[in-house]
C-alpha cells in the first residue's frame, strides 16, 4: 500500500461511507451480537506476509459494520450523542492525511493558531467573557482531571508535583452527586482520593445547595482539611441537573476556592441565548469544559476547556525539557503545557469546518429542534398507560419508567433488542429509569416520535 493506492482506497472508503450513512435507518441501532462474536472472526496473530487491500477491505465490510453500535444512527437516543457532522468527517480526513503531531507551536503552527482562534469563536458563540482563553482536550474527563490537578497544586502552593502528597494536609473537593463519574475519577487519579470528594447536598431541583456547600467547606476547615476546589455540574448525565452556578461560585470564591464547571453535554446548547439562564453566573467560573463532540457535531474527540487564567494550569502540567524548547520563541503558546498528554491531534480543523459549514444559525436550529421534539416525545410517552415520567426535560433529556424496576428493565431490553431506537438507563431517586436524550445530528421529528411508537408497542 503506497500513496497512489491510498488515493484509490480513500475514494472507495468515501463511497462506502456514503452507502453506510444512507442506509443507517435500515440497521438496528445497537449491535445485536453475543460477546466474542467479532473476535471469533479475527485470526489470533498478525499475518507474516502482506495481504492485498482488496481482501482487507472486503473483510472490513463483512465483519465490522454489523459489529458496531451506530452512533450516527438518527434514532440513537442513548447516553449523550457523539455527533459527527459530514463537514467534521471531511476535516478529520484532511487532518489524517497531514498526520501531524501538534505538541508545540513549531511542530504545527496552523494547528496551534487555529486552536486559539476556534477557542475565541466558541467563546463568542457561547456568550462567555472575552478574557476567557482555553484549549482542546481529547475528552471532558481529561479536561476535568487537568482542572483538578491544578486545584490540587494551587492549594499546595505547587509543592505536590515536586514533593509528592505524603505528609501534606488532606485536600478536599466539593461536587454534587449529580456530577459525572469523571469527577470521581479525577479525585482518585489526582491522588486526592474518593473519600475527599465531598458530595454536597442538592435541593429539590437536584442543584447543589449553596448553603450546604458553605457549611461543608467550613466544617472541613474546622476539622483541619485543606479545601482545594469546587466542581459544578451544568447538565448532569443522569437527568440533566444544573447546579446553581452563580450562588455556588459566590460561596467558593468567598473561600478563595477555584471552580470548574462540567458542561460536557449542555455546553453546546448555550449557543442559543435562550438557554443561557440555566448556567447564569458562568462568567465567574475559573474553568469550564464542554464537548463539541457531543451535541455540536465536531466529531469525537473534541473537548474544549475554557480558562479564566491559564497560569496555574500551565504551571501544573507544563514541563519544558531541552528537547521541547522552542529557541527564541518563548512567547508563543505550546499547548502541550496546558494538557496532560504531550502529543496532540489537530482537533481544531473539524471545529473550523463544522462551524463554517453549518453556521451558528444552522447549529442552533438543530439544537432548538431537538429540545422541542424531546418535549413532544415526553408528552406522547406521558399519555401512554402505565408510563411515568420520572424526570422532566432539561434541554432535550428526560426519563421515564414503568411502575416497577423489573418491568422497566425488561421494557428497556425489549426496546433495544427491537433495534428501531436505542435508549439507556440510569438510577434516579432510587428507581431504575430509562433516559431519553434527543440530539443526533441528522434526526428528524419522525425519528424522535418513533420513541413513543416503539414504547407503546412494547410496554404492554
Ligand atoms: N461530563 C458529563 C456531564 C458527561 O455526560 C460525560 C460523558 O458523557 C463526561 C463528563 C465525560 O465525557 P468524555 O467522554 O468526553 O470524557
Amino acid at each position: 500500500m503506497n500513496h497512489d493506492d491510498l488515493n484509490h482506497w480513500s475514494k472507495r472508503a468515501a463511497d462506502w461511507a456514503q452507502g453506510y450513512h444512507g442506509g443507517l435507518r435500515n440497521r438496528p441501532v445497537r449491535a445485536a451480537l453475543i460477546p466474542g462474536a467479532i473476535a471469533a472472526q479475527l485470526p489470533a496473530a498478525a499475518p507474516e506476509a502482506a495481504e492485498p487491500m482488496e481482501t482487507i477491505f472486503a473483510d472490513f465490510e463483512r465483519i465490522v459494520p454489523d459489529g458496531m453500535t451506530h452512533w450516527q444512527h438518527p434514532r440513537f437516543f442513548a447516553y449523550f450523542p457523539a455527533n459527527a457532522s459530514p463537514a467534521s468527517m471531511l476535516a478529520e480526513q484532511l487532518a489524517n492525511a497531514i498526520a501531524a503531531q501538534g505538541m508545540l507551536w513549531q511542530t504545527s503552527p496552523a494547528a496551534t493558531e487555529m486552536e486559539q482562534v476556534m477557542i475565541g469563536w466558541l467563546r463568542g458563540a457561547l456568550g462567555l467573557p472575552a478574557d476567557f482563553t482555553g484549549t482542546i482536550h481529547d475528552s471532558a474527563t481529561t479536561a476535568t482531571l487537568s482542572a483538578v490537578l491544578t486545584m490540587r497544586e494551587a492549594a499546595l502552593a505547587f509543592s505536590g508535583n515536586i514533593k509528592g502528597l505524603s505528609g501534606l494536609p488532606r485536600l478536599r473537593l466539593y461536587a454534587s452527586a449529580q456530577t459525572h463519574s469523571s469527577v470521581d475519577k479525577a479525585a482518585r487519579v489526582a491522588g486526592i482520593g474518593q473519600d475527599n470528594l465531598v458530595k454536597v447536598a442538592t435541593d429539590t431541583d437536584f442543584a447543589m445547595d449553596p448553603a450546604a456547600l458553605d457549611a461543608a467547606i467550613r466544617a472541613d476547615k474546622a476539622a483541619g482539611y485543606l479545601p482545594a476546589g469546587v466542581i459544578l455540574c451544568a447538565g448532569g448525565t443522569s437527568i440533566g441537573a444544573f447546579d446553581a452556578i452563580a450562588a455556588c461560585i459566590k460561596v467558593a470564591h468567598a473561600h478563595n476556592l477555584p471552580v470548574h464547571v462540567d458542561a460536557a453535554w449542555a455546553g453546546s446548547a448555550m449557543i442559543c441565548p435562550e438557554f443561557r439562564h440555566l448556567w447564569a453566573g458562568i462568567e465567574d467560573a475559573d474553568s469550564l469544559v464542554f464537548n463539541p463532540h457531543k451535541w455540536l457535531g465536531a466529531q469525537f474527540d473534541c473537548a474544549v476547556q475554557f480558562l479564566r487564567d491559564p497560569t496555574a494550569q500551565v504551571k501544573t502540567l507544563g514541563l519544558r525539557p531541552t528537547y521541547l524548547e522552542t529557541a527564541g520563541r518563548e512567547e508563543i503558546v505550546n499547548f502541550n503545557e496546558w494538557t496532560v498528554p504531550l502529543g496532540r491531534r489537530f482537533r481544531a480543523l473539524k471545529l473550523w469546518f463544522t462551524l463554517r459549514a453549518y453556521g451558528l444559525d444552522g447549529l442552533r436550529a438543530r439544537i432548538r429542534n431537538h429540545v422541542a421534539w424531546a418535549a413532544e416525545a415526553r408528552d406522547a410517552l406521558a399519555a401512554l398507560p402505565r408510563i411515568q415520567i420520572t424526570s422532566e426535560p432539561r434541554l432535550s433529556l428526560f426519563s421515564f419508567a414503568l411502575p416497577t424496576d423489573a418491568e422497566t428493565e425488561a421494557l428497556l431490553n425489549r426496546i433495544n433488542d427491537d433495534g428501531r431506537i436505542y435508549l439507556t438507563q440510569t438510577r434516579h431517586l432510587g428507581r431504575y429509569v430509562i433516559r431519553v436524550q434527543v440530539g443526533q445530528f441528522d434526526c428528524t421529528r419522525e425519528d424522535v416520535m418513533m420513541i413513543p411508537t416503539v414504547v407503546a408497542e412494547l410496554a404492554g
Side-chain angles (χ1 to χ4, degrees):
M1 176 96 177
N2 57 33
H3 283 283
D4 290 337
D5 297 331
L6 180 60
N7 178 285
H8 167 77
W9 286 103
S10 296
K11 289 174 182 156
R12 269 285 292 275
D15 289 343
W16 179 86
Q18 189 184 23
Y20 170 75
H21 285 281
L24 274 177
R25 280 194 178 81
N26 303 323
R27 290 179 180 270
V29 189
R30 191 183 69 171
L33 290 177
I34 45 167
I38 298 297
Q41 298 178 66
L42 304 175
E48 293 294 338
E51 296 186 55
M53 189 47 64
E54 197 68 59
T55 311
I56 301 171
F57 202 92
D59 284 348
F60 162 77
E61 290 184 290
R62 182 173 57 82
I63 297 172
V64 176
D66 289 342
M68 299 304 292
T69 292
H70 304 290
W71 283 73
Q72 305 314 317
H73 195 301
R75 294 194 297 271
F76 182 102
F77 305 113
Y79 306 103
F80 281 134
N83 281 340
S85 70
S88 153
M89 291 182 188
L90 180 62
E92 282 286 68
Q93 282 176 30
L94 298 173
N96 283 343
I98 298 170
Q101 206 275 53
M103 59 188 180
L104 302 169
W105 174 85
Q106 70 184 22
T107 65
S108 321
T112 297
E113 293 184 18
M114 189 172 288
E115 183 161 335
Q116 291 173 305
V117 174
M118 288 307 103
I119 294 291
W121 283 17
L122 289 171
R123 178 180 60 218
L126 269 57
L128 295 171
D131 62 342
F132 273 30
T133 177
T135 190
I136 307 178
H137 298 260
D138 55 352
S139 64
T141 300
T142 319
T144 295
L145 174 61
S146 304
V148 166
L149 288 167
T150 304
M151 288 173 178
R152 182 192 81 187
E153 285 307 294
L156 297 174
F158 298 91
S159 63
N161 271 349
I162 307 301
K163 296 188 189 307
L165 301 183
S166 84
L168 294 174
R170 247 172 100 175
L171 297 168
R172 298 287 253 190
L173 299 170
Y174 306 86
S176 91
Q178 293 293 325
T179 48
H180 186 261
S181 59
S182 53
V183 178
D184 301 67
K185 187 179 273 191
R188 293 171 180 216
V189 174
I192 293 172
Q194 182 77 61
D195 288 351
N196 293 312
L197 172 58
V198 179
K199 296 287 171 88
V200 180
T202 51
D203 62 17
T204 50
D205 213 18
F206 308 101
M208 184 189 280
D209 175 359
L213 173 63
D214 187 52
I217 297 170
R218 285 178 194 281
D220 279 353
K221 282 180 173 172
Y225 293 112
L226 182 56
V230 177
I231 298 101
L232 299 178
C233 153
T237 313
S238 188
I239 54 137
F242 280 81
D243 286 332
I245 304 286
C248 291
I249 292 183
K250 209 167 156 203
V251 169
H253 284 179
H255 289 281
N256 286 323
L257 295 181
V259 174
H260 171 70
V261 179
D262 178 1
W265 161 65
S268 296
M270 303 308 169
I271 62 171
C272 306
E274 70 270 28
F275 299 134
R276 289 184 196 153
H277 66 95
L278 290 167
W279 72 359
I282 194 70
E283 61 280 1
D284 291 324
D286 301 286
S287 166
L288 158 67
V289 63
F290 99 104
N291 282 354
H293 74 227
K294 282 190 161 62
W295 208 353
L296 210 59
Q299 77 186 74
F300 190 82
D301 52 1
C302 187
V304 168
Q305 182 190 17
F306 291 102
L307 290 158
R308 167 171 306 288
D309 177 357
T311 312
Q313 188 155 315
V314 173
K315 202 166 166 189
T316 300
L317 301 179
L319 279 175
R320 205 176 285 181
T322 308
Y323 46 80
L324 294 177
E325 280 172 4
T326 45
R329 293 192 177 275
E330 301 314 322
E331 80 289 357
I332 47 98
V333 168
N334 291 316
F335 270 129
N336 80 81
E337 297 176 0
W338 297 44
T339 57
V340 175
L342 173 65
R344 321 187 78 245
R345 301 179 62 242
F346 187 1
R347 298 191 182 93
L349 195 66
K350 59 195 168 194
L351 279 169
W352 195 47
F353 272 52
T354 299
L355 292 170
R356 295 179 67 192
Y358 308 98
L360 288 173
D361 262 348
L363 296 170
R364 284 189 199 104
R366 281 184 163 79
I367 287 172
R368 286 174 177 143
N369 280 338
H370 296 160
V371 172
W373 296 336
E376 269 192 73
R378 177 257 176 240
D379 290 349
L381 282 169
L384 296 177
R386 305 186 72 243
I387 294 290
Q388 302 164 347
I389 301 300
T390 46
S391 62
E392 293 295 335
R394 300 285 171 96
L395 298 170
S396 63
L397 170 67
F398 65 94
S399 66
F400 70 94
L402 283 169
T404 69
D405 283 3
E407 286 178 295
T408 307
E409 189 170 356
L411 171 61
L412 182 63
N413 287 335
R414 283 198 297 280
I415 290 170
N416 291 333
D417 288 345
D418 172 88
R420 279 174 290 173
I421 61 174
Y422 183 24
L423 302 175
T424 46
Q425 74 290 337
T426 189
R427 194 160 281 283
H428 181 54
L429 294 175
R431 292 181 70 181
Y432 183 100
V433 303
I434 301 176
R435 290 169 76 258
V436 177
Q437 72 74 25
V438 177
Q440 213 287 324
F441 203 73
D442 289 324
C443 73
T444 61
R445 183 182 168 279
E446 288 64 41
D447 289 317
V448 177
M449 296 315 283
M450 183 72 87
I451 300 168
T453 303
V454 169
V455 172
E457 270 179 43
L458 300 179

